[in-house]
Amino acid sequence: MFILIGISADFDPVHKGHAKLISEARKIADEENKKVVVYLNKGFSANHAPFFVDFEARREMALALGADDVKSFEGLHHRLVLSYSVPIRLKQMIDDGVTDYITSASISLDEIKSKAQKFIDEGNFVGMPKSYTNRNEIRWYAINEFLGGKLKYHIVKEFNKDKYSGRLIRQSIIDNDMVISKDTAKLLPKTTVEILQREIDAGRVPGDRNWSDIYKRMNTYSRGNLEKIAYLNGRTINEIIKRRVYRDPESIWAVFRRSDYGPVMTRLAISAIEMEVTKKEVMELMKSYESQGVIPDNQKVQRVIDRAWYVASELEKGVSARQANETFRSENVNVNAPSSLEAGLNLTKFETKITKEGINTDLYVDKNGKISVQFKSEGKKIKTNLRLPAVEVTYLRYIMDSHFIPVRGSIKKAKKGFKVKVDIG
């Protein structure tokens, strides 16, 4: 049996706040004859960024402070938002035999329980308010309850975040030309300073993105190919096309700011571009965990599709999107969203002559905001807008902007000319 520590921290690098967490876990473990096991994110941080210090060095830092073992979470944080990755991580811990969860917070366990109850009742862990103090700890508690409350929760009083912040510690080292200042060293255990200095001397710190691949994809991919990448919506793709060429990270951050992405979603979108994460890949990952009972009903892929159809249908009746979303969520509305649509095409006589049934097509949102399709036939590239009823246009646009639900099209013979059969999900 294990006791788990440090779930909500990336330990990047391990500071004295983390050391306190390990120390408190050690006390409980020794009393109950259990082991202290730290689970560290690997590859990308929970905030979808590359790590400052790589996994092996962070693992060494945790072991030096008294952890019995270090395990990893891999392949999640360039593919999923926290409301989906947390249930998966909790499931892994429970399957490993973890019995206790310990984390730091500035609020009490009773307050965490109180704020988590609304999300437990709704079975939906998306949209945790930014105003919540320790909202990540609230999310973990709520999802643990959703999974049956299998982990016993322990809270350690949080150190001063204005000092003991991994982000601030990393920034201070970067600003100081990769030198650990005396003031920064005071925030770190001695073993961390030694390991971190070794990693800096070896040139392994800081970690960084593969910017060359990111620039290449953002500078060259068509709208149709960008549409396949997770966490890119129609507006963002058009901003990417419009603002080419990209040669530095700031120009990339700027295009996402113009598309109203916050810092967290920007990092996730950039990570998806870097790793070529497709919407299809994300959807299939979600569905694989749905089958294991890990993903709440209100967050399941089909539920997202159903909500898009319901809201589109209600808009046709004059109901606002906000009101329709609220009704769908609060009243647990059941709908039968279409899994495919047939759209008309605006083809010239020549294009009609060379078009053939069965050709695969790419869907995208053109610079005028209209849903369009492109395909190749007999060496010719054909682009045209789709013709659909208004409710289906709205529905399809919601799906295409969903961040993780793919759409694909194929040419279908019609009574007169051709149509595109659009498959959703």
Side-chain angles (χ1 to χ4, degrees):
M1 303 297 284
F2 300 120
I3 176 171
L4 176 69
I5 74 157
I7 302 297
S8 59
D10 283 314
F11 282 26
D12 189 29
V14 175
H15 56 61
K16 288 183 177 178
H18 301 138
K20 175 69 172 176
L21 200 59
I22 294 174
S23 173
E24 292 299 313
R26 181 81 271 159
K27 291 177 186 177
I28 300 170
D30 291 345
E31 287 175 3
E32 301 183 9
N33 193 29
K34 296 181 180 180
K35 292 182 178 180
V36 176
V37 181
V38 176
Y39 281 72
L40 296 179
N41 294 316
K42 188 175 183 180
F44 289 83
S45 74
N47 283 320
H48 320 297
F51 282 106
F52 186 73
V53 183
D54 73 16
F55 174 81
E56 290 303 327
R58 288 181 290 122
R59 177 181 182 276
E60 190 178 347
M61 291 173 186
L63 291 172
L65 293 173
D68 293 306
D69 195 8
V70 174
K71 294 178 178 287
S72 65
F73 294 126
E74 299 184 51
L76 297 177
H77 295 116
H78 59 293
R79 293 187 174 101
L80 300 171
V81 295
L82 283 173
S83 51
Y84 287 88
S85 71
V86 172
I88 294 168
R89 286 182 279 168
L90 274 167
K91 173 71 160 51
Q92 180 179 329
M93 293 183 281
I94 292 166
D95 289 348
D96 284 349
V98 172
T99 58
D100 298 69
Y101 171 84
I102 185 166
T103 189
S104 60
S106 61
I107 60 177
S108 68
L109 180 55
D110 285 342
E111 191 171 350
I112 288 174
K113 290 179 179 179
S114 175
K115 283 188 162 61
Q117 195 58 51
K118 170 180 179 290
F119 300 93
I120 297 168
D121 292 341
E122 290 182 358
N124 189 350
F125 308 101
V126 177
M128 191 74 65
K130 292 182 180 179
S131 60
Y132 276 13
T133 302
N134 296 122
R135 62 179 177 152
N136 197 39
E137 285 68 34
I138 294 167
R139 180 184 287 111
W140 278 83
Y141 179 85
I143 294 175
N144 180 51
E145 292 302 298
F146 162 74
L147 294 175
K150 295 181 180 180
L151 301 184
K152 184 179 179 182
Y153 228 76
H154 304 269
I155 296 296
V156 174
K157 184 66 176 176
E158 189 173 60
F159 276 30
N160 183 352
K161 270 192 172 181
D162 292 335
K163 288 177 61 179
Y164 294 92
S165 159
R167 179 180 60 81
L168 295 177
I169 289 168
R170 295 189 296 271
Q171 194 60 53
S172 71
I173 295 171
I174 292 170
D175 291 345
N176 202 36
D177 294 325
M178 298 311 296
V179 173
I180 306 170
S181 68
K182 290 182 179 179
D183 286 342
T184 298
K186 290 177 182 177
L187 306 175
L188 307 172
K190 182 180 178 181
T191 50
T192 292
V193 174
E194 293 170 352
I195 296 166
L196 183 55
Q197 187 61 59
R198 182 196 72 204
E199 294 298 296
I200 291 172
D201 292 343
R204 290 189 286 268
V205 175
D208 202 2
R209 294 188 180 278
N210 183 348
W211 287 110
S212 62
D213 280 357
I214 296 168
Y215 298 146
K216 180 179 179 182
R217 286 162 193 153
M218 290 185 68
N219 284 328
T220 63
Y221 276 19
S222 68
R223 284 183 175 85
N225 283 332
L226 288 171
E227 174 61 41
K228 294 183 178 72
I229 294 179
Y231 305 105
L232 299 183
N233 60 29
R235 176 184 173 185
T236 305
I237 291 167
N238 279 311
E239 284 289 339
I240 289 171
I241 300 288
K242 181 180 177 181
R243 307 288 172 179
R244 287 171 171 170
V245 175
Y246 301 98
R247 296 188 180 93
D248 57 80
E250 178 51 38
S251 64
I252 289 175
W253 275 82
V255 82
F256 285 101
R257 282 197 298 271
R258 290 188 184 97
S259 302
D260 295 327
Y261 279 47
V264 174
M265 281 304 299
T266 296
R267 287 192 293 269
L268 179 55
I270 294 173
S271 297
I273 294 169
E274 179 179 0
M275 303 302 291
E276 282 202 288
V277 179
T278 65
K279 292 176 180 176
K280 183 174 185 288
E281 177 183 345
V282 173
M283 183 191 70
E284 289 178 347
L285 181 63
M286 288 177 176
K287 284 188 171 183
S288 73
Y289 282 100
E290 285 178 16
S291 66
Q292 299 176 46
V294 174
I295 306 299
D297 286 345
N298 283 328
Q299 292 177 210
K300 290 181 177 179
V301 171
Q302 188 58 50
R303 194 67 177 157
V304 175
I305 293 171
D306 288 346
R307 183 174 68 240
W309 178 250
Y310 178 77
V311 173
S313 301
E314 290 298 289
L315 283 171
E316 281 289 286
K317 303 173 186 175
V319 178
S320 71
R322 183 176 180 178
Q323 184 180 342
N325 268 303
E326 178 61 31
T327 301
F328 184 84
R329 186 176 68 252
S330 62
E331 298 183 11
N332 199 26
V333 176
N334 288 316
V335 299
N336 187 22
S339 59
S340 65
L341 305 171
E342 288 192 4
L345 298 172
N346 295 309
L347 300 175
T348 65
K349 287 184 178 179
F350 172 73
E351 289 171 341
T352 301
K353 185 178 179 180
I354 65 172
T355 296
K356 295 178 176 61
E357 188 168 40
I359 294 175
N360 291 327
T361 69
D362 289 336
L363 275 72
Y364 65 95
V365 178
D366 73 8
K367 63 183 179 181
N368 298 314
K370 294 184 177 180
I371 301 174
S372 304
V373 66
Q374 67 178 29
F375 59 95
K376 280 187 176 181
S377 184
E378 296 188 8
K380 302 293 183 180
K381 183 183 287 186
I382 298 172
K383 296 182 178 182
T384 182
N385 297 142
L386 297 187
R387 288 188 282 109
L388 286 163
V391 66
E392 293 184 3
V393 170
T394 305
Y395 170 52
L396 187 53
R397 185 61 190 267
Y398 276 137
I399 293 295
M400 292 175 71
D401 286 347
S402 69
H403 288 162
F404 58 81
I405 297 174
V407 295
R408 63 174 184 166
S410 58
I411 299 296
K412 180 180 179 179
K413 186 74 175 172
K415 287 183 179 179
K416 292 184 178 180
F418 295 92
K419 290 186 175 182
V420 170
K421 181 175 181 286
V422 180
D423 292 313
I424 295 165

